[in-house]
Amino acid sequence: MKTLITSLIIAGGALLPATQIHAAPASQSVSAASKAKTYGDFAVGQKFTLTVTEALAVKGGLTGTPKKTSIPSGVPKFKKGQKVKFTIGSKGELKGPGFTIKFESPSALANAYINKPKKGSTALNADAAVVRKNSLKKPVFAELSFFKTTGSGLKTTVYSVTYLLE
């Protein structure tokens, strides 16, 4: 089961553009006081709001086809048309109502966020997000994915909840 969730997370990450790292020339030093700490072009404490355009929850067992379902407890619940406020945390994490997802990597087009399942934990829950940015480095789109497992053995159920926001 842990392999299934890890595979889903890795597959989602494969869709992200390759990360590009650019170092500033030594002649362009900037003092820490004059430049705020940023993660993938988003400043610590930056706030932005996006509107939910799609919300989908599915569940599936180890046998059978995934089916639409209601959003399980422990997963943020947003409705289509709802405005969601986000904040960039002190370590670059994406914070929203009822969740915090760790900053993973930046690219020119998007930032990736992921909470990986903890080693040795029986709860194989995971969360992932991608925030796309425009040419002005402003957030314009987000995809939030929350995964939750319940049960064990052949009675394991995997919930996947995805929100698209613009």
Side-chain angles (χ1 to χ4, degrees), residues 85-116:
K85 294 180 181 181
F86 297 93
T87 303
I88 302 301
S90 63
K91 295 180 182 176
E93 65 273 22
L94 181 66
K95 294 181 172 189
F99 71 90
T100 298
I101 306 175
K102 295 177 184 175
F103 178 76
E104 180 69 16
S105 64
S107 80
L109 301 174
N111 291 343
Y113 303 85
I114 189 167
N115 290 339
K116 299 174 186 173

PDB file of all heavy atoms in Angstrom, residues 85-116:
ATOM      1  N   LYS A  85      -7.908  30.831   0.838  1.00  0.00           N
ATOM      2  CA  LYS A  85      -6.777  31.709   1.122  1.00  0.00           C
ATOM      3  C   LYS A  85      -5.550  30.864   1.469  1.00  0.00           C
ATOM      4  O   LYS A  85      -5.629  29.940   2.265  1.00  0.00           O
ATOM      5  CB  LYS A  85      -7.106  32.631   2.290  1.00  0.00           C
ATOM      6  CG  LYS A  85      -8.211  33.615   1.958  1.00  0.00           C
ATOM      7  CD  LYS A  85      -8.517  34.527   3.123  1.00  0.00           C
ATOM      8  CE  LYS A  85      -9.645  35.464   2.743  1.00  0.00           C
ATOM      9  NZ  LYS A  85      -9.972  36.390   3.815  1.00  0.00           N
ATOM     10  N   PHE A  86      -4.423  31.207   0.839  1.00  0.00           N
ATOM     11  CA  PHE A  86      -3.164  30.516   1.041  1.00  0.00           C
ATOM     12  C   PHE A  86      -2.142  31.472   1.629  1.00  0.00           C
ATOM     13  O   PHE A  86      -2.185  32.667   1.375  1.00  0.00           O
ATOM     14  CB  PHE A  86      -2.610  29.989  -0.293  1.00  0.00           C
ATOM     15  CG  PHE A  86      -3.480  28.967  -0.957  1.00  0.00           C
ATOM     16  CD1 PHE A  86      -4.421  29.357  -1.897  1.00  0.00           C
ATOM     17  CD2 PHE A  86      -3.350  27.625  -0.656  1.00  0.00           C
ATOM     18  CE1 PHE A  86      -5.218  28.420  -2.528  1.00  0.00           C
ATOM     19  CE2 PHE A  86      -4.147  26.680  -1.285  1.00  0.00           C
ATOM     20  CZ  PHE A  86      -5.080  27.080  -2.223  1.00  0.00           C
ATOM     21  N   THR A  87      -1.185  30.916   2.371  1.00  0.00           N
ATOM     22  CA  THR A  87      -0.059  31.673   2.918  1.00  0.00           C
ATOM     23  C   THR A  87       1.200  30.835   2.741  1.00  0.00           C
ATOM     24  O   THR A  87       1.158  29.618   2.893  1.00  0.00           O
ATOM     25  CB  THR A  87      -0.267  31.964   4.426  1.00  0.00           C
ATOM     26  OG1 THR A  87      -1.494  32.655   4.600  1.00  0.00           O
ATOM     27  CG2 THR A  87       0.877  32.792   4.992  1.00  0.00           C
ATOM     28  N   ILE A  88       2.318  31.488   2.430  1.00  0.00           N
ATOM     29  CA  ILE A  88       3.601  30.811   2.352  1.00  0.00           C
ATOM     30  C   ILE A  88       4.238  30.891   3.735  1.00  0.00           C
ATOM     31  O   ILE A  88       4.420  31.969   4.291  1.00  0.00           O
ATOM     32  CB  ILE A  88       4.527  31.457   1.286  1.00  0.00           C
ATOM     33  CG1 ILE A  88       3.851  31.441  -0.088  1.00  0.00           C
ATOM     34  CG2 ILE A  88       5.878  30.749   1.263  1.00  0.00           C
ATOM     35  CD1 ILE A  88       3.472  30.065  -0.603  1.00  0.00           C
ATOM     36  N   GLY A  89       4.547  29.722   4.313  1.00  0.00           N
ATOM     37  CA  GLY A  89       5.094  29.648   5.663  1.00  0.00           C
ATOM     38  C   GLY A  89       6.567  29.990   5.735  1.00  0.00           C
ATOM     39  O   GLY A  89       7.239  30.222   4.722  1.00  0.00           O
ATOM     40  N   SER A  90       7.109  29.969   6.946  1.00  0.00           N
ATOM     41  CA  SER A  90       8.494  30.378   7.191  1.00  0.00           C
ATOM     42  C   SER A  90       9.530  29.469   6.537  1.00  0.00           C
ATOM     43  O   SER A  90      10.667  29.873   6.319  1.00  0.00           O
ATOM     44  CB  SER A  90       8.759  30.445   8.697  1.00  0.00           C
ATOM     45  OG  SER A  90       8.605  29.151   9.268  1.00  0.00           O
ATOM     46  N   LYS A  91       9.151  28.239   6.195  1.00  0.00           N
ATOM     47  CA  LYS A  91      10.067  27.320   5.503  1.00  0.00           C
ATOM     48  C   LYS A  91       9.580  27.054   4.081  1.00  0.00           C
ATOM     49  O   LYS A  91       9.937  26.054   3.480  1.00  0.00           O
ATOM     50  CB  LYS A  91      10.179  26.015   6.280  1.00  0.00           C
ATOM     51  CG  LYS A  91      10.820  26.192   7.637  1.00  0.00           C
ATOM     52  CD  LYS A  91      10.921  24.897   8.383  1.00  0.00           C
ATOM     53  CE  LYS A  91      11.535  25.133   9.754  1.00  0.00           C
ATOM     54  NZ  LYS A  91      11.557  23.906  10.545  1.00  0.00           N
ATOM     55  N   GLY A  92       8.736  27.959   3.562  1.00  0.00           N
ATOM     56  CA  GLY A  92       8.248  27.848   2.198  1.00  0.00           C
ATOM     57  C   GLY A  92       7.028  26.977   2.043  1.00  0.00           C
ATOM     58  O   GLY A  92       6.517  26.811   0.935  1.00  0.00           O
ATOM     59  N   GLU A  93       6.531  26.410   3.130  1.00  0.00           N
ATOM     60  CA  GLU A  93       5.386  25.522   3.051  1.00  0.00           C
ATOM     61  C   GLU A  93       4.118  26.252   2.608  1.00  0.00           C
ATOM     62  O   GLU A  93       3.969  27.445   2.832  1.00  0.00           O
ATOM     63  CB  GLU A  93       5.153  24.778   4.379  1.00  0.00           C
ATOM     64  CG  GLU A  93       4.771  25.658   5.555  1.00  0.00           C
ATOM     65  CD  GLU A  93       5.945  26.249   6.330  1.00  0.00           C
ATOM     66  OE1 GLU A  93       7.057  26.362   5.804  1.00  0.00           O
ATOM     67  OE2 GLU A  93       5.706  26.666   7.482  1.00  0.00           O
ATOM     68  N   LEU A  94       3.230  25.509   1.939  1.00  0.00           N
ATOM     69  CA  LEU A  94       1.950  26.039   1.478  1.00  0.00           C
ATOM     70  C   LEU A  94       0.921  25.781   2.565  1.00  0.00           C
ATOM     71  O   LEU A  94       0.665  24.627   2.928  1.00  0.00           O
ATOM     72  CB  LEU A  94       1.536  25.347   0.174  1.00  0.00           C
ATOM     73  CG  LEU A  94       0.234  25.813  -0.457  1.00  0.00           C
ATOM     74  CD1 LEU A  94       0.350  27.264  -0.935  1.00  0.00           C
ATOM     75  CD2 LEU A  94      -0.139  24.905  -1.620  1.00  0.00           C
ATOM     76  N   LYS A  95       0.356  26.863   3.098  1.00  0.00           N
ATOM     77  CA  LYS A  95      -0.626  26.737   4.178  1.00  0.00           C
ATOM     78  C   LYS A  95      -1.993  27.183   3.675  1.00  0.00           C
ATOM     79  O   LYS A  95      -2.103  28.178   2.971  1.00  0.00           O
ATOM     80  CB  LYS A  95      -0.231  27.604   5.370  1.00  0.00           C
ATOM     81  CG  LYS A  95       1.037  27.166   6.049  1.00  0.00           C
ATOM     82  CD  LYS A  95       1.326  28.074   7.232  1.00  0.00           C
ATOM     83  CE  LYS A  95       2.483  27.548   8.052  1.00  0.00           C
ATOM     84  NZ  LYS A  95       2.614  28.304   9.309  1.00  0.00           N
ATOM     85  N   GLY A  96      -3.003  26.435   4.050  1.00  0.00           N
ATOM     86  CA  GLY A  96      -4.383  26.769   3.730  1.00  0.00           C
ATOM     87  C   GLY A  96      -5.261  26.313   4.873  1.00  0.00           C
ATOM     88  O   GLY A  96      -4.775  25.737   5.850  1.00  0.00           O
ATOM     89  N   PRO A  97      -6.567  26.521   4.752  1.00  0.00           N
ATOM     90  CA  PRO A  97      -7.473  26.129   5.835  1.00  0.00           C
ATOM     91  C   PRO A  97      -7.457  24.609   6.045  1.00  0.00           C
ATOM     92  O   PRO A  97      -7.876  23.856   5.184  1.00  0.00           O
ATOM     93  CB  PRO A  97      -8.848  26.593   5.366  1.00  0.00           C
ATOM     94  CG  PRO A  97      -8.657  27.265   4.058  1.00  0.00           C
ATOM     95  CD  PRO A  97      -7.240  27.130   3.636  1.00  0.00           C
ATOM     96  N   GLY A  98      -6.904  24.186   7.163  1.00  0.00           N
ATOM     97  CA  GLY A  98      -6.903  22.767   7.509  1.00  0.00           C
ATOM     98  C   GLY A  98      -5.739  21.968   6.968  1.00  0.00           C
ATOM     99  O   GLY A  98      -5.721  20.745   7.075  1.00  0.00           O
ATOM    100  N   PHE A  99      -4.733  22.614   6.381  1.00  0.00           N
ATOM    101  CA  PHE A  99      -3.587  21.865   5.862  1.00  0.00           C
ATOM    102  C   PHE A  99      -2.332  22.721   5.773  1.00  0.00           C
ATOM    103  O   PHE A  99      -2.385  23.932   5.667  1.00  0.00           O
ATOM    104  CB  PHE A  99      -3.885  21.255   4.488  1.00  0.00           C
ATOM    105  CG  PHE A  99      -3.974  22.266   3.376  1.00  0.00           C
ATOM    106  CD1 PHE A  99      -2.847  22.633   2.654  1.00  0.00           C
ATOM    107  CD2 PHE A  99      -5.184  22.857   3.050  1.00  0.00           C
ATOM    108  CE1 PHE A  99      -2.924  23.575   1.637  1.00  0.00           C
ATOM    109  CE2 PHE A  99      -5.270  23.793   2.022  1.00  0.00           C
ATOM    110  CZ  PHE A  99      -4.139  24.150   1.315  1.00  0.00           C
ATOM    111  N   THR A 100      -1.205  22.029   5.820  1.00  0.00           N
ATOM    112  CA  THR A 100       0.117  22.597   5.571  1.00  0.00           C
ATOM    113  C   THR A 100       0.878  21.550   4.772  1.00  0.00           C
ATOM    114  O   THR A 100       0.959  20.392   5.191  1.00  0.00           O
ATOM    115  CB  THR A 100       0.860  22.903   6.889  1.00  0.00           C
ATOM    116  OG1 THR A 100       0.115  23.880   7.623  1.00  0.00           O
ATOM    117  CG2 THR A 100       2.264  23.431   6.626  1.00  0.00           C
ATOM    118  N   ILE A 101       1.422  21.941   3.615  1.00  0.00           N
ATOM    119  CA  ILE A 101       2.168  21.013   2.768  1.00  0.00           C
ATOM    120  C   ILE A 101       3.575  21.581   2.575  1.00  0.00           C
ATOM    121  O   ILE A 101       3.735  22.735   2.184  1.00  0.00           O
ATOM    122  CB  ILE A 101       1.465  20.794   1.410  1.00  0.00           C
ATOM    123  CG1 ILE A 101       0.013  20.353   1.632  1.00  0.00           C
ATOM    124  CG2 ILE A 101       2.219  19.758   0.586  1.00  0.00           C
ATOM    125  CD1 ILE A 101      -0.806  20.217   0.355  1.00  0.00           C
ATOM    126  N   LYS A 102       4.581  20.750   2.831  1.00  0.00           N
ATOM    127  CA  LYS A 102       5.980  21.183   2.785  1.00  0.00           C
ATOM    128  C   LYS A 102       6.421  21.546   1.369  1.00  0.00           C
ATOM    129  O   LYS A 102       6.063  20.881   0.407  1.00  0.00           O
ATOM    130  CB  LYS A 102       6.887  20.074   3.311  1.00  0.00           C
ATOM    131  CG  LYS A 102       6.673  19.760   4.767  1.00  0.00           C
ATOM    132  CD  LYS A 102       7.550  18.606   5.193  1.00  0.00           C
ATOM    133  CE  LYS A 102       7.262  18.221   6.634  1.00  0.00           C
ATOM    134  NZ  LYS A 102       8.032  17.026   7.009  1.00  0.00           N
ATOM    135  N   PHE A 103       7.249  22.590   1.287  1.00  0.00           N
ATOM    136  CA  PHE A 103       7.850  22.999   0.014  1.00  0.00           C
ATOM    137  C   PHE A 103       8.820  21.919  -0.429  1.00  0.00           C
ATOM    138  O   PHE A 103       9.655  21.460   0.340  1.00  0.00           O
ATOM    139  CB  PHE A 103       8.571  24.338   0.189  1.00  0.00           C
ATOM    140  CG  PHE A 103       9.265  24.829  -1.048  1.00  0.00           C
ATOM    141  CD1 PHE A 103       8.543  25.377  -2.088  1.00  0.00           C
ATOM    142  CD2 PHE A 103      10.636  24.737  -1.170  1.00  0.00           C
ATOM    143  CE1 PHE A 103       9.176  25.833  -3.237  1.00  0.00           C
ATOM    144  CE2 PHE A 103      11.285  25.192  -2.300  1.00  0.00           C
ATOM    145  CZ  PHE A 103      10.547  25.732  -3.339  1.00  0.00           C
ATOM    146  N   GLU A 104       8.707  21.519  -1.703  1.00  0.00           N
ATOM    147  CA  GLU A 104       9.586  20.466  -2.238  1.00  0.00           C
ATOM    148  C   GLU A 104      10.589  21.035  -3.237  1.00  0.00           C
ATOM    149  O   GLU A 104      11.780  20.863  -3.077  1.00  0.00           O
ATOM    150  CB  GLU A 104       8.741  19.375  -2.899  1.00  0.00           C
ATOM    151  CG  GLU A 104       9.544  18.244  -3.481  1.00  0.00           C
ATOM    152  CD  GLU A 104      10.222  17.357  -2.436  1.00  0.00           C
ATOM    153  OE1 GLU A 104       9.859  17.408  -1.247  1.00  0.00           O
ATOM    154  OE2 GLU A 104      11.131  16.621  -2.816  1.00  0.00           O
ATOM    155  N   SER A 105      10.082  21.691  -4.308  1.00  0.00           N
ATOM    156  CA  SER A 105      11.006  22.204  -5.323  1.00  0.00           C
ATOM    157  C   SER A 105      10.348  23.280  -6.178  1.00  0.00           C
ATOM    158  O   SER A 105       9.140  23.269  -6.376  1.00  0.00           O
ATOM    159  CB  SER A 105      11.501  21.064  -6.215  1.00  0.00           C
ATOM    160  OG  SER A 105      10.422  20.518  -6.938  1.00  0.00           O
ATOM    161  N   PRO A 106      11.176  24.193  -6.694  1.00  0.00           N
ATOM    162  CA  PRO A 106      10.671  25.233  -7.586  1.00  0.00           C
ATOM    163  C   PRO A 106      11.029  24.940  -9.039  1.00  0.00           C
ATOM    164  O   PRO A 106      11.906  24.136  -9.319  1.00  0.00           O
ATOM    165  CB  PRO A 106      11.444  26.467  -7.115  1.00  0.00           C
ATOM    166  CG  PRO A 106      12.788  25.899  -6.755  1.00  0.00           C
ATOM    167  CD  PRO A 106      12.504  24.515  -6.186  1.00  0.00           C
ATOM    168  N   SER A 107      10.332  25.596  -9.939  1.00  0.00           N
ATOM    169  CA  SER A 107      10.737  25.650 -11.341  1.00  0.00           C
ATOM    170  C   SER A 107      10.296  27.010 -11.851  1.00  0.00           C
ATOM    171  O   SER A 107       9.666  27.781 -11.131  1.00  0.00           O
ATOM    172  CB  SER A 107      10.109  24.512 -12.162  1.00  0.00           C
ATOM    173  OG  SER A 107       8.779  24.816 -12.497  1.00  0.00           O
ATOM    174  N   ALA A 108      10.584  27.307 -13.096  1.00  0.00           N
ATOM    175  CA  ALA A 108      10.196  28.601 -13.663  1.00  0.00           C
ATOM    176  C   ALA A 108       8.680  28.733 -13.772  1.00  0.00           C
ATOM    177  O   ALA A 108       8.144  29.828 -13.719  1.00  0.00           O
ATOM    178  CB  ALA A 108      10.839  28.773 -15.033  1.00  0.00           C
ATOM    179  N   LEU A 109       7.979  27.601 -13.897  1.00  0.00           N
ATOM    180  CA  LEU A 109       6.528  27.636 -14.126  1.00  0.00           C
ATOM    181  C   LEU A 109       5.681  27.267 -12.924  1.00  0.00           C
ATOM    182  O   LEU A 109       4.497  27.598 -12.878  1.00  0.00           O
ATOM    183  CB  LEU A 109       6.173  26.685 -15.280  1.00  0.00           C
ATOM    184  CG  LEU A 109       6.845  26.980 -16.613  1.00  0.00           C
ATOM    185  CD1 LEU A 109       6.510  25.884 -17.613  1.00  0.00           C
ATOM    186  CD2 LEU A 109       6.426  28.339 -17.128  1.00  0.00           C
ATOM    187  N   ALA A 110       6.243  26.546 -11.950  1.00  0.00           N
ATOM    188  CA  ALA A 110       5.429  26.061 -10.836  1.00  0.00           C
ATOM    189  C   ALA A 110       6.294  25.702  -9.641  1.00  0.00           C
ATOM    190  O   ALA A 110       7.490  25.471  -9.764  1.00  0.00           O
ATOM    191  CB  ALA A 110       4.630  24.843 -11.280  1.00  0.00           C
ATOM    192  N   ASN A 111       5.653  25.630  -8.476  1.00  0.00           N
ATOM    193  CA  ASN A 111       6.297  25.150  -7.263  1.00  0.00           C
ATOM    194  C   ASN A 111       5.614  23.852  -6.854  1.00  0.00           C
ATOM    195  O   ASN A 111       4.383  23.741  -6.956  1.00  0.00           O
ATOM    196  CB  ASN A 111       6.172  26.163  -6.122  1.00  0.00           C
ATOM    197  CG  ASN A 111       6.987  27.411  -6.370  1.00  0.00           C
ATOM    198  OD1 ASN A 111       7.878  27.423  -7.212  1.00  0.00           O
ATOM    199  ND2 ASN A 111       6.678  28.465  -5.642  1.00  0.00           N
ATOM    200  N   ALA A 112       6.401  22.901  -6.381  1.00  0.00           N
ATOM    201  CA  ALA A 112       5.866  21.624  -5.929  1.00  0.00           C
ATOM    202  C   ALA A 112       5.940  21.546  -4.408  1.00  0.00           C
ATOM    203  O   ALA A 112       6.921  21.990  -3.798  1.00  0.00           O
ATOM    204  CB  ALA A 112       6.646  20.480  -6.552  1.00  0.00           C
ATOM    205  N   TYR A 113       4.908  20.966  -3.824  1.00  0.00           N
ATOM    206  CA  TYR A 113       4.806  20.792  -2.379  1.00  0.00           C
ATOM    207  C   TYR A 113       4.408  19.346  -2.120  1.00  0.00           C
ATOM    208  O   TYR A 113       3.589  18.795  -2.855  1.00  0.00           O
ATOM    209  CB  TYR A 113       3.744  21.734  -1.796  1.00  0.00           C
ATOM    210  CG  TYR A 113       4.004  23.187  -2.103  1.00  0.00           C
ATOM    211  CD1 TYR A 113       3.588  23.754  -3.308  1.00  0.00           C
ATOM    212  CD2 TYR A 113       4.678  24.005  -1.206  1.00  0.00           C
ATOM    213  CE1 TYR A 113       3.837  25.091  -3.601  1.00  0.00           C
ATOM    214  CE2 TYR A 113       4.936  25.338  -1.490  1.00  0.00           C
ATOM    215  CZ  TYR A 113       4.506  25.874  -2.693  1.00  0.00           C
ATOM    216  OH  TYR A 113       4.754  27.188  -2.978  1.00  0.00           O
ATOM    217  N   ILE A 114       4.959  18.741  -1.045  1.00  0.00           N
ATOM    218  CA  ILE A 114       4.595  17.352  -0.762  1.00  0.00           C
ATOM    219  C   ILE A 114       4.830  17.007   0.705  1.00  0.00           C
ATOM    220  O   ILE A 114       5.809  17.442   1.306  1.00  0.00           O
ATOM    221  CB  ILE A 114       5.377  16.376  -1.672  1.00  0.00           C
ATOM    222  CG1 ILE A 114       4.848  14.970  -1.535  1.00  0.00           C
ATOM    223  CG2 ILE A 114       6.857  16.428  -1.403  1.00  0.00           C
ATOM    224  CD1 ILE A 114       5.344  14.024  -2.603  1.00  0.00           C
ATOM    225  N   ASN A 115       3.900  16.267   1.268  1.00  0.00           N
ATOM    226  CA  ASN A 115       4.055  15.654   2.580  1.00  0.00           C
ATOM    227  C   ASN A 115       4.150  14.159   2.318  1.00  0.00           C
ATOM    228  O   ASN A 115       3.165  13.530   1.934  1.00  0.00           O
ATOM    229  CB  ASN A 115       2.855  15.938   3.492  1.00  0.00           C
ATOM    230  CG  ASN A 115       2.790  17.379   3.928  1.00  0.00           C
ATOM    231  OD1 ASN A 115       3.784  18.096   3.902  1.00  0.00           O
ATOM    232  ND2 ASN A 115       1.623  17.817   4.328  1.00  0.00           N
ATOM    233  N   LYS A 116       5.338  13.615   2.480  1.00  0.00           N
ATOM    234  CA  LYS A 116       5.546  12.197   2.224  1.00  0.00           C
ATOM    235  C   LYS A 116       5.092  11.388   3.435  1.00  0.00           C
ATOM    236  O   LYS A 116       5.171  11.866   4.567  1.00  0.00           O
ATOM    237  CB  LYS A 116       7.026  11.938   1.954  1.00  0.00           C
ATOM    238  CG  LYS A 116       7.548  12.669   0.743  1.00  0.00           C
ATOM    239  CD  LYS A 116       9.046  12.512   0.591  1.00  0.00           C
ATOM    240  CE  LYS A 116       9.559  13.370  -0.536  1.00  0.00           C
ATOM    241  NZ  LYS A 116      11.011  13.382  -0.616  1.00  0.00           N
TER     242      LYS A 116
END
